[in-house]
Amino acid sequence: MSSPPWASVSTETTPQVDYSEEEQLRRNTKGAQIGGVAAAAGVTGLIVSGPLLGVAAAGGAAYVAAGNSGAGDTARGIGDAVVEGGRKAKEYDEEHHVVGRTMQVFGRVASVTARKAQEIDEEYHVVDRTKEAGVVAAQRAKEIDEEHGVWEKTKSATFATGRAIRDFDQRHRVVEKTGRGIANASYWLASKLRGDDKKP
C-alpha cells in the first residue's frame, strides 16, 4: 500500500532570517525609493501618453531603481525626493486641509463652468461649428500633404535628427552626466525635505 502524497513532505521548518535593524531600514528605504520613482514615472507617463504608457513607465522606472547602476542611483534619488515631498505635503494637508478645500472650490467652479458652457453652445452652436472646422482643416491638411509630401519629409527629418542626437550623446555622454546631476540634486532635495544637513 502506498503512502499519501503529503506523507513525504518534510516537517522541518525553514529557518527564519532575522535582519538587523540597519538592514531592515535599508530595505524599507530602497522599497520607498522604488515606489516613489515608479509613482513619478507612472504619473508622468499617464499625463503624457495615457494609462498604458503610464503603467509601462512605472514598471520600467521601478526596474531601473532596483538595479545597482548609475541609472538606478538616479532613479532612487528621484524616488527619495518624491517620498519626502509626499510626506511633507501630507503633513501640510493634514494641518491646513488644502485638498478638501480645493475639491469644494473645484466642484463649485466646475458646475458653474459646465452650465455656462452649455448655455454658450446652445446660443452659438460652438460644438457643431468646431466639428465642421475640424473636418475642413483635416481635408486641407491631407491635400497639402499629398501635394508637398509633408509627412515623408517630416519622417525623414525626424530620423536624421534622432541619429544626430544619438551620435552627439555617444560622443559627449550627455545622458549619463545629466543622470548623475539629477541623482545628486534629488538626493540633496530629499535630504533638505527631511531636514538633514548631511551630504548624499
Side-chain angles (χ1 to χ4, degrees):
M1 184 174 208
S2 67
S3 303
W6 58 85
S8 62
V9 174
S10 172
T11 57
E12 293 179 26
T13 59
T14 306
Q16 296 297 316
V17 177
D18 185 23
Y19 293 113
S20 68
E21 217 174 288
E22 184 178 306
E23 173 65 12
Q24 192 61 40
L25 178 62
R26 186 192 67 75
R27 286 171 169 263
N28 290 343
T29 300
K30 189 169 183 179
Q33 290 169 332
I34 291 170
V37 75
V43 168
T44 302
L46 176 66
I47 291 169
V48 171
S49 296
L52 188 59
L53 185 61
V55 170
Y63 177 78
V64 169
N68 289 324
S69 64
D73 290 343
T74 300
R76 285 189 297 279
I78 293 168
D80 211 12
V82 168
V83 168
E84 285 303 314
R87 189 177 60 77
K88 290 289 186 181
K90 182 179 177 189
E91 289 173 4
Y92 186 83
D93 182 55
E94 287 172 354
E95 183 177 337
H96 299 286
H97 309 290
V98 175
V99 173
R101 291 178 182 166
T102 302
M103 292 306 291
Q104 288 174 347
V105 170
F106 180 74
R108 287 189 291 244
V109 169
S111 176
V112 169
T113 303
R115 190 171 51 248
K116 190 63 177 169
Q118 185 177 5
E119 290 171 8
I120 290 171
D121 183 49
E122 287 172 359
E123 185 174 343
Y124 298 104
H125 308 286
V126 175
V127 172
D128 292 336
R129 290 181 179 174
T130 303
K131 286 180 186 176
E132 290 169 8
V135 168
V136 170
Q139 182 60 37
R140 184 66 183 130
K142 183 179 176 187
E143 291 169 5
I144 291 171
D145 181 49
E146 288 173 355
E147 185 178 334
H148 300 288
V150 175
W151 174 247
E152 286 302 317
K153 291 175 183 175
T154 303
K155 208 165 51 169
S156 297
T158 301
F159 287 132
T161 302
R163 274 193 304 273
I165 290 170
R166 185 193 66 222
D167 294 344
F168 183 85
D169 182 54
Q170 286 176 343
R171 284 192 314 274
H172 301 286
R173 299 183 357 228
V174 175
V175 172
E176 178 186 332
K177 291 174 183 175
T178 303
R180 264 190 269 135
I182 291 171
N184 290 338
S186 298
Y187 282 124
W188 176 84
L189 177 61
S191 71
K192 292 302 176 189
L193 288 170
R194 276 194 304 269
D196 296 349
D197 287 332
K198 62 184 178 182
K199 294 189 178 183

